[in-house]
Amino acid sequence: MADADRMKRYSDYNAYLRSLFGERVQKISVDAGLTCPNRDGSLSWAGCIYCNAKGSGTGAFARGLSISQQIEAGKIGAVKKYKARKFLAYFQSFTNTYAPVEHLKALYDEALSCEGVVGMAVGTRPDCVDKEKIDLLDAYTKDYLIWLEYGLQSAHDATLALINRGHDFKAFERAMALVTPKKKLNVCAHIILGLPGETRDMMLENARIIGDLGVNGVKIHLLYVVRGTALDKMYAQGRCTPLEQQEYVDLVCDFLERLPRSMIIQRITGDPHSDELVAPLWSARYRETFNMIQHTLEARDSYQGKCRI
Ligand code: SF4
């Protein structure tokens, strides 16, 4: 099957961007120098059990690079590799709504003023938004594509407590209620498959719940163990068992089958840094896992939404 046909088995993010802008749009990660309430002592110092001290960050801000300098540097690789001319600024590190609204506005304005930037994605926690911040993000939707990325990871409170998220599922429902009236502001939920204590049914229930709440997109991650995290200790003590590769592939296909057809699938597996990865080692083979998911969907003759009631 040709790549284009494979993509039709789920609503692929790159195809979605191409349909909006008529060409490839490349995401560029930016580090705004913010922190996280689960790291700075407001909620805890420890962070989520799978998070290391970098908080998914590039460390670019600490190296003295401004937002616009980071975007200009990111463009060089995107132009060389993809001949990209349009870009999304991706505020990825830590919690990118965790600051006074004036400070956030200055950061977002700087990103959106860079040449070729057509929008931004803002990663945050559901307990770190309020009406003022949502209004600020919504105001940009007149001229730009804006995605708000809420780290949810699981809709089950027992799991959220176990992984030390520092918020419950109600926080996510409140965060969604703030966005629902904003018709052009998109929400992407992050979900992790393979969290300790979660059964297959619990993981698939997450798909139904985010679909029912009107989430526009999802990033599906695999739980992997990163060196120096609390999860690393749990793994060493035999208190968590990572998924096998085929088990994960089957779960992703089951998960996709339960999502609304309209939801944009932004990611279907994780992409760990191999120098930090402890387990499972197969997770470093991103392309192999990606291809296995495509082949399993084909073998099942399945697609996103097939099992959604
Ligand atoms: S919310 Fe994000 S940055 Fe904060 S501790 Fe959890 S994973 Fe790390």
Side-chain angles (χ1 to χ4, degrees):
M1 182 178 281
D3 274 357
D5 290 327
R6 282 184 185 168
M7 291 310 176
K8 287 178 196 157
R9 295 193 181 273
Y10 57 89
S11 303
D12 169 71
Y13 187 50
N14 282 334
Y16 154 82
L17 290 174
R18 202 176 275 278
S19 74
L20 288 181
F21 295 99
E23 61 187 283
R24 185 178 182 100
V25 180
Q26 190 61 33
K27 248 181 172 181
I28 298 176
S29 291
V30 291
D31 179 340
L34 300 175
T35 178
C36 166
N38 210 16
R39 280 267 172 211
D40 71 359
S42 302
L43 290 170
S44 91
W45 299 100
C48 305
I49 60 169
Y50 47 82
C51 177
N52 68 8
K54 287 199 238 166
S56 311
T58 61
F61 190 87
R63 293 198 300 275
L65 291 175
S66 68
I67 300 291
S68 44
Q69 286 170 329
Q70 292 176 52
I71 290 174
E72 291 309 321
K75 276 187 198 175
I76 295 170
V79 170
K80 199 168 158 196
K81 194 164 178 190
Y82 303 111
K83 298 191 170 35
R85 298 179 304 173
K86 293 183 176 166
F87 311 94
L88 286 182
Y90 179 25
F91 287 82
Q92 181 179 17
S93 309
F94 294 103
T95 301
N96 294 284
T97 57
Y98 188 47
V101 76
E102 305 72 36
H103 183 58
L104 295 175
K105 183 173 186 312
L107 295 171
Y108 302 156
D109 283 351
E110 183 177 347
L112 293 170
S113 69
C114 293
E115 193 183 338
V117 172
V118 294
M120 62 181 179
V122 176
T124 191
R125 294 167 53 92
D127 58 349
C128 287
V129 289
D130 57 26
K131 185 177 179 316
E132 205 183 2
K133 291 170 184 172
I134 295 297
D135 285 346
L136 171 68
L137 287 166
D138 186 51
Y140 293 114
T141 63
K142 283 203 286 298
D143 302 304
Y144 298 98
L145 176 69
I146 307 294
W147 279 85
L148 185 55
E149 297 194 12
Y150 285 147
L152 172 62
Q153 321 311 354
S154 169
H156 302 284
D157 282 342
T159 310
L160 295 174
L162 185 69
I163 64 175
N164 196 41
R165 276 296 295 178
H167 66 75
D168 58 10
F169 179 63
K170 279 220 169 320
F172 183 77
E173 289 182 308
R174 282 193 294 272
M176 280 305 297
L178 288 170
V179 179
T180 303
K182 313 291 192 189
K183 297 298 173 213
K184 290 178 73 183
L185 182 57
N186 301 292
V187 173
C188 175
H190 290 224
I191 292 286
I192 300 178
L193 300 182
L195 288 168
E198 291 224 334
T199 62
R200 175 180 178 276
D201 284 351
M202 289 168 79
M203 292 183 237
L204 300 186
E205 178 73 352
N206 291 331
R208 187 193 61 74
I209 290 172
I210 61 171
D212 288 352
L213 279 172
V215 169
N216 309 92
V218 63
K219 283 187 177 174
I220 307 169
H221 299 270
L222 156 76
L223 182 72
Y224 53 79
V225 182
V226 169
R227 192 162 290 114
T229 60
L231 188 65
D232 189 6
K233 276 196 200 129
M234 284 175 72
Y235 177 68
Q237 293 163 353
R239 290 164 53 219
C240 74
T241 309
L243 294 171
E244 299 292 339
Q245 190 176 25
Q246 188 61 54
E247 198 180 3
Y248 178 76
V249 165
D250 289 337
L251 270 168
V252 170
C253 296
D254 294 343
F255 196 91
L256 290 170
E257 288 170 352
R258 284 156 180 81
L259 293 175
R261 191 74 185 119
S262 58
M263 195 181 280
I264 307 298
I265 312 303
Q266 298 204 10
R267 183 171 263 284
I268 54 173
T269 186
D271 196 8
H273 293 290
S274 48
D275 53 337
E276 296 180 332
L277 178 66
V278 174
L281 295 180
W282 63 260
S283 64
R285 303 193 300 273
Y286 173 87
R287 180 51 57 179
E288 181 182 282
T289 306
F290 178 89
N291 286 337
M292 285 172 71
I293 293 167
Q294 314 304 319
H295 292 142
T296 301
L297 287 170
E298 284 164 37
R300 291 184 186 187
D301 193 19
S302 189
Y303 50 86
Q304 179 183 344
K306 185 178 183 184
C307 298
R308 184 159 172 86
I309 308 159

